Amino acid sequence: MRVGRHGARQGRQAQRGRLGKGLVTAGCVAALAFVPTAAGATPGSGVSATVVAEGTSAKKLKVKTPKGRTDVTFRTITIEPGGSTGWHTHRGQLIVVVKSGTLTRTLDDCSVEVSPAGTSFIEPSGRKHRHVGRNLGTEPVVLWVTYLLPDGSELSDDADAVDCGPAK
């Protein structure tokens, strides 16, 4: 069978393509010889960990730390059925995971946010973000809270109640 000029060129290109692929494969294999393997990693020992709470946020979490030194406090808070945190604010942000129960928060603008077990949220800082947390359910609300506060700050500051009218 006779191959024309065009067919011969395609044959040479195919041969170069196979050669190029072979060189790329050989190069990758050679490069892998210089990559450290997991077997060379230092194994851990005497370490254990327990997940105490997990939660998924309804939206993107934006964490901001205070300028200067930051106190980081991790705390469990339990609110019994019918209980309330009282109106308050924080000088820094809080990261909250609802471990069990359902937390109902009324915010400064009288909006209400309901956070069931398995959810997480950020509580913003500052006087403009006063709020109250309530347990309107029949089982205790358990919160796992990480406080990111300016050095030496109280965990929360009392605030005047907002007049949201009845049923808020």
Side-chain angles (χ1 to χ4, degrees):
M1 178 172 174
R2 182 173 172 227
V3 177
R5 193 178 76 189
H6 183 67
R9 185 176 343 135
Q10 286 177 337
R12 286 191 302 273
Q13 286 174 340
Q15 193 174 23
R16 279 194 300 250
R18 284 190 296 274
L19 178 63
K21 286 179 185 176
L23 289 175
V24 168
T25 302
C28 289
V29 170
L32 286 175
F34 296 102
V35 175
T37 63
T42 305
S45 65
V47 177
S48 64
T50 302
V51 174
V52 292
E54 290 181 298
T56 303
S57 66
K59 54 188 174 187
K60 182 178 178 180
L61 297 180
K62 296 178 185 177
V63 178
K64 299 175 188 172
T65 58
K67 293 180 180 173
R69 293 168 44 115
T70 301
D71 288 341
V72 178
T73 304
F74 186 76
R75 187 168 114 158
T76 301
I77 299 171
T78 302
I79 306 170
E80 295 299 329
S84 167
T85 63
W87 284 91
H88 64 280
T89 62
H90 304 283
R91 297 181 196 178
Q93 284 191 327
L94 279 60
I95 303 170
V96 182
V97 174
V98 182
K99 173 100 169 123
S100 60
T102 299
L103 177 68
T104 302
R105 293 182 303 140
T106 302
L107 308 180
D108 193 62
D109 63 359
C110 293
S111 63
V112 176
E113 291 186 5
V114 178
S115 302
T119 60
S120 63
F121 58 90
I122 296 283
E123 268 192 3
S125 64
R127 292 182 187 164
K128 295 185 297 185
H129 297 287
R130 63 185 159 165
H131 56 278
V132 61
R134 293 186 174 97
N135 181 351
L136 303 178
T138 58
E139 67 175 291
V141 170
V142 178
L143 308 174
W144 291 78
V145 183
T146 303
Y147 295 76
L148 304 169
L149 304 172
D151 184 20
S153 294
E154 296 293 328
L155 295 177
S156 64
D157 296 305
D158 291 339
D160 292 333
V162 175
D163 183 10
C164 294
K168 289 283 181 175

